[in-house]
Amino acid sequence: MAVLVYAENWDGRFKKSSFELVSYASRVAGMLNTTTTVLSLGNVEKSELEKLGRFGANKIINGVGENLDIFDSQAFCRVISDIAVKEAATVVVLSNNNTGKALAPRISVRLKAGIGAGVSKLPISINPFTVYKRAFSGNAFSHLTIRTDTRIITLAQNSFELIEKNAGATIEEVAIQLEGAKTRVKEVQKQSGKILLTDADIVVSGGRGMKSPDNWGPLVQLAELLGGATACSRPVSDEGWRGHEEHTGQTGKIIAPDLYIAIGISGATQHLAGVSSSKYIVAINNDKGAPIFEAAQFGIVGDAVKVLPKLVEAVKEIRA
Ligand SMILES: Cc1cc2nc3c(=O)[nH]c(=O)nc-3n(C[C@H](O)[C@H](O)[C@H](O)COP(=O)(O)OP(=O)(O)OC[C@H]3O[C@@H](n4cnc5c(N)ncnc54)[C@H](O)[C@@H]3O)c2cc1C
């Protein structure tokens, strides 16, 4: 028996979120008195795989084979489900990111396993197996009891701390043949020169309080200086100030960066639905009663147009 984690890699590297998953799974394994197996698929160097071992993995399965660097939810689902059966996994842990959301329901059907999606804490009990998840854009929470022998969990990003624990992981290489793909990816064109919003650890975002698209220069500059991506509220993209690919919220992208800087954004529920899982929210708003300050850990009350250039200068100074 084991707790199985699918650790996604990005061009052969694991992000912090993968280590969070392993830390979480290792704690769940402790509660169930079992071990943690981590599955990685694709071309990942041994030194990178070893990093998974620092967070409590007992066994790392390195799945190698053709086309594993191109994500295919149907084919990957088959592989992860087969490994879950082989490892007698009682819990399968995935990230609640786009990949995890595409895989989890498919694996759930294949394994006839109950699913807890967007879980943000350790199970509150293991018998019955009950997990905690946020509901209604974080305004409420629910306890969900999963009654099947195998349980699928997607862990909300940034909801669990990294816990270093060297469990002396072994690395086992397994040849993977992707089968069951009903689609074939012929070409992948990656956006270059720009950090993808959904991948970014730091996001600098502007709302209607920015007043005009002409004021975006310092916001973009701040994002560049911090190595982050830019985002916006929906009215900003509706107005055509910024492209719709930047719009975050209930009807836009759902992100969970380490740092979300909300500038001239009121903090409407629909906006927060897409950003409330950020580890830290910093708000800049000239209205100290704006709801965004309730979601933010840090804030500056002031005129965005005046504050932003000063912030840019301060970051430049620190970096120099
Ligand atoms: C079904 C539905 C779905 C929606 N989905 C989304 C969604 O996905 N994403 C989303 O963002 N919205 C969404 N909305 C819209 C949402 O309800 C809000 O209207 C929107 O988020 C407000 O955007 P905003 O904060 O940029 O603008 P505003 O609400 O106009 O707020 C502007 C803020 O800027 C501040 N401000 C003004 N001037 C300055 C200044 N000079 N310096 C600093 N601060 C200043 C103001 O105090 C205010 O707090 C949705 C609405 C509905 C009904």
Side-chain angles (χ1 to χ4, degrees):
M1 294 220 294
V3 172
L4 178 71
V5 188
Y6 170 55
E8 189 183 354
N9 72 79
W10 288 261
D11 296 327
R13 299 190 73 86
F14 297 112
K15 281 199 189 164
K16 199 176 111 250
S17 58
S18 296
F19 303 131
E20 279 169 9
L21 288 184
V22 182
S23 301
Y24 179 84
S26 160
R27 291 290 290 272
V28 176
M31 292 170 80
L32 292 167
N33 211 8
T34 183
T35 55
T36 310
T37 300
V38 185
L39 171 65
S40 161
L41 295 174
N43 189 15
V44 182
E45 300 272 333
K46 187 164 175 264
S47 58
E48 190 67 16
L49 288 166
E50 280 168 353
K51 290 182 187 166
L52 298 167
R54 289 189 211 149
F55 299 94
N58 300 98
K59 177 174 168 184
I60 297 161
I61 300 177
N62 179 26
V64 291
E66 275 179 38
N67 295 329
L68 287 174
D69 48 351
I70 298 172
F71 176 65
D72 180 309
S73 54
Q74 288 170 328
F76 274 47
C77 158
R78 221 172 254 265
V79 172
I80 298 169
S81 303
D82 288 351
I83 301 267
V85 171
K86 198 164 152 249
E87 294 295 308
T90 50
V91 183
V92 179
V93 182
L94 304 121
S95 172
N96 196 47
N97 63 6
N98 288 339
T99 307
K101 284 179 192 167
L103 286 170
R106 289 185 164 91
I107 298 172
S108 161
V109 170
R110 250 184 117 72
L111 299 182
K112 294 190 173 47
I115 179 168
V119 166
S120 55
K121 284 186 182 171
L122 285 171
I124 57 165
S125 79
I126 50 159
N127 197 11
F129 195 86
T130 304
V131 292
Y132 173 103
K133 57 179 282 183
R134 289 193 280 174
F136 301 113
S137 308
N139 290 316
F141 67 87
S142 64
H143 288 160
L144 181 86
T145 296
I146 308 176
R147 299 198 183 277
T148 48
D149 294 338
T150 309
R151 305 92 172 184
I152 314 292
I153 288 179
T154 64
L155 181 69
Q157 287 160 281
N158 277 330
S159 61
F160 201 73
E161 73 217 293
L162 294 182
I163 302 171
E164 294 226 18
K165 178 182 151 200
N166 196 336
T170 54
I171 301 181
E172 186 183 301
E173 193 166 295
V174 173
I176 302 285
Q177 271 208 306
L178 283 190
E179 286 165 4
K182 294 199 173 71
T183 53
R184 188 160 61 92
V185 178
K186 289 170 105 177
E187 193 186 344
V188 177
Q189 286 186 357
K190 289 195 176 168
Q191 204 173 14
S192 60
K194 206 177 165 194
I195 297 169
L196 276 186
L197 181 52
T198 43
D199 281 357
D201 293 327
I202 297 177
V203 174
V204 186
S205 184
R208 212 152 34 182
M210 289 289 293
K211 302 285 190 226
S212 151
D214 302 336
N215 292 332
W216 240 263
L219 187 152
V220 174
Q221 210 184 349
L222 181 63
E224 281 170 2
L225 281 167
L226 296 173
T230 50
C232 66
S233 67
R234 180 167 135 175
V236 163
S237 58
D238 285 348
E239 290 285 341
W241 295 0
R242 302 293 293 176
H244 264 293
E245 71 282 358
E246 286 198 356
H247 142 212
T248 50
Q250 188 182 313
T251 47
K253 295 221 165 80
I254 296 182
I255 56 171
D258 288 340
L259 175 62
Y260 183 73
I261 306 180
I263 308 166
I265 292 177
S266 59
T269 326
Q270 296 87 354
H271 185 81
L272 292 177
V275 303
S276 61
S277 295
S278 307
K279 196 162 187 186
Y280 293 103
I281 297 180
V282 174
I284 303 173
N285 199 300
N286 65 357
D287 172 11
K288 69 173 191 308
I292 190 73
F293 286 121
E294 280 169 38
Q297 284 81 8
F298 301 97
I300 299 174
V301 179
D303 182 347
V305 180
K306 290 185 186 149
V307 172
L308 255 175
K310 288 186 184 162
L311 214 51
V312 167
E313 284 316 308
V315 175
K316 273 189 192 164
E317 252 174 55
I318 292 167
R319 300 202 76 186

